[in-house]
C-alpha cells in the first residue's frame, strides 16, 4: 500500500503521515526538555545556596516554582493548545522555556531564579500536552501505542539524564550551566 493510500485510509495528511517518525523525534525531544528542566536543578542546590546566598526557603521555592506553575497550568495550557493550535502552542512553549532558561542561567539573585523557574514551569505546561496531542493526531490508531510508548520512555530517560548532565556541567562550569543544557535542544527542535 502506498503512503498516500495508507494516509488516506487513516484520515491523515499524506505528508504528515510520511514524516510521522521524524515528528515523533521532535515531540520526544521537546518532552525531554520539560523533564530535564524539572530535574536538573536538584544537583545545583548546594552551589546556588553558596553563590546566591539563598536561604532554605529560597532554595525550596527554586525547586517548587517550576512544579507548582506546571501543575497549575497544565489543563489550561492543554485546552489553549486544542483551541488555538497545538503546533503554535508547542512552539510558543519552547520559546518561553528558552527565555526562562536564559534568565535562570544568568540570574544574580534567588528571586530571579525563582521567577525564571516559574516561567519555565508555565512554558512546560504548554509543551507537554501539545506533544501528546500532536502525537495522537499524527499516528494512526494501530501505531499510536508504539508511539506513546516511545514518548513515555523518553520522558523516563529525561528524568535520568537531567541530574547526570547537571553534575557534569557543575563540575566543569558555573551553576547556570545546568539550565543552559536545554538551549541546544530547544534550538534543534
Amino acid at each position: 500500500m502506498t503512503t498516500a493510500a495508507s494516509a488516506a485510509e487513516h484520515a491523515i495528511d499524506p505528508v504528515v503521515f510520511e514524516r510521522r517518525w521524524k515528528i515523533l523525534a521532535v515531540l520526544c525531544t521537546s518532552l525531554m526538555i520539560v523533564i530535564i528542566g524539572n530535574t536538573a536543578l536538584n544537583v545545583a542546590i548546594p552551589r546556588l545556596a553558596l553563590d546566591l546566598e539563598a536561604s532554605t526557603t529560597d532554595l525550596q521555592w527554586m525547586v517548587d516554582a517550576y512544579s507548582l506553575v506546571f501543575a497549575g497550568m497544565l489543563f489550561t495550557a492543554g485546552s489553549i493548545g486544542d483551541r488555538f493550535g497545538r503546533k503554535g502552542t508547542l512552539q510558543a512553549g519552547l520559546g518561553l522555556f528558552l527565555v526562562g532558561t536564559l534568565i535562570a542561567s544568568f540570574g544574580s539573585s534567588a528571586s530571579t531564579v525563582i521567577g525564571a523557574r516559574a516561567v519555565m514551569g508555565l512554558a512546560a505546561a504548554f509543551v507537554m500536552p501539545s506533544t501528546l496531542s500532536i502525537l495522537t493526531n499524527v499516528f494512526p490508531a494501530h501505531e499510536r501505542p508504539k508511539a506513546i510508548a516511545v514518548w513515555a520512555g523518553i520522558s523516563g530517560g529525561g528524568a535520568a539524564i537531567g541530574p547526570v548532565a547537571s553534575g557534569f556541567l557543575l563540575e566543569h562550569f558555573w551553576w547556570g550551566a545546568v539550565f543552559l543544557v536545554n538551549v541546544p535542544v530547544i534550538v534543534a527542535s
Side-chain angles (χ1 to χ4, degrees), residues 46-63:
R47 183 86 58 89
L48 284 165
L50 291 174
D51 291 354
L52 297 180
E53 299 177 2
S55 68
T56 305
T57 303
D58 291 335
L59 296 172
Q60 190 65 49
W61 273 109
M62 285 180 202
V63 172

Side-chain angles (χ1 to χ4, degrees), residues 79-132:
S79 179
I80 289 170
D82 290 342
R83 216 171 262 164
F84 298 108
R86 295 171 183 106
K87 180 181 176 186
T89 303
L90 175 63
Q91 291 171 333
L94 289 172
L96 187 59
F97 202 94
L98 179 62
V99 169
T101 296
L102 292 173
I103 292 170
S105 295
F106 299 105
S108 59
S109 69
S111 58
T112 302
V113 175
I114 292 167
R117 293 278 295 161
V119 168
M120 291 167 67
L122 176 64
F126 281 92
V127 171
M128 188 176 216
S130 295
T131 61
L132 187 57

Side-chain angles (χ1 to χ4, degrees), residues 24 28 31 35 132 135 145-158:
L24 179 62
C28 288
L31 177 65
I35 303 301
L132 187 57
L135 183 150
K146 186 187 329 182
I148 291 173
V150 170
W151 180 86
I154 294 296
S155 174

Side-chain angles (χ1 to χ4, degrees), residues 163-185:
V164 173
S166 295
F168 176 81
L169 291 169
L170 281 171
E171 189 174 320
H172 295 90
F173 303 102
W174 90 111
W175 61 263
V178 301
F179 298 112
L180 292 177
V181 70
N182 282 323
V183 172
V185 180

